[in-house]
Amino acid sequence: MIGNKVKVIIDRPLGTFQPKHNDIFYTVNYAYIEGVFAPDGEEQDAYVLGVNKPLKEFEGVIFAIIHRINDVEDKWIVAPEGIEFKKEEIIKQVEFQEKFFDFEIVM
């Protein structure tokens, strides 16, 4: 999975609030992969890093996975081809939402 190219659909663009929890502000684009289903029965979610503007769709490479220890669904980290981040950089960018979970980053 890591290293695969994917197309994501942005359902929560950078600069917006989470629809059910208006205290969660998206500092990165949050997306799903159409037709790929996660263990929660919903389409697989992904964070898009390395693009600092709101998007509708994006094609990039999966370069890491956030494995939630206390949840059923992992989150994929997608970025433009050739761009990667260190674990500390990933945590800083996704902590707005991941702070509610125990997780590890797989690269």
Side-chain angles (χ1 to χ4, degrees), residues 8 10-15 26-31 46-49 51-56 58 78 96:
V8 299
I10 311 298
D11 57 346
R12 297 178 194 153
L14 178 147
Y26 286 86
T27 56
V28 299
N29 288 288
Y30 189 74
Y47 293 103
V48 176
L49 304 186
V51 180
N52 296 319
K53 64 180 182 179
L55 300 170
K56 292 183 180 186
F58 178 76
V78 178
F96 70 93

Side-chain angles (χ1 to χ4, degrees), residues 23-48:
D23 58 332
I24 298 176
F25 181 76
Y26 286 86
T27 56
V28 299
N29 288 288
Y30 189 74
Y32 64 92
I33 292 84
E34 199 168 40
V36 177
F37 291 90
D40 67 354
E42 300 291 326
E43 289 174 305
Q44 177 63 53
D45 291 325
Y47 293 103
V48 176

Side-chain angles (χ1 to χ4, degrees), residues 1-4 6 33 36 38-39 44-49 61-69 71-79 84-88 90-91 94 98 102-107:
M1 173 168 337
I2 292 177
N4 289 352
V6 291
I33 292 84
V36 177
Q44 177 63 53
D45 291 325
Y47 293 103
V48 176
L49 304 186
V61 176
I62 302 166
F63 74 91
I65 297 170
I66 294 178
H67 171 64
R68 287 183 173 176
I69 296 164
D71 193 21
V72 298
E73 182 186 9
D74 294 340
K75 306 295 179 181
W76 295 357
I77 306 294
V78 178
E84 293 185 11
F85 297 87
K86 295 178 181 177
K87 287 183 181 183
E88 297 79 20
I90 296 170
I91 292 168
V94 301
E98 294 305 317
D102 294 326
F103 65 92
E104 62 185 4
I105 297 176
V106 179
M107 299 182 81

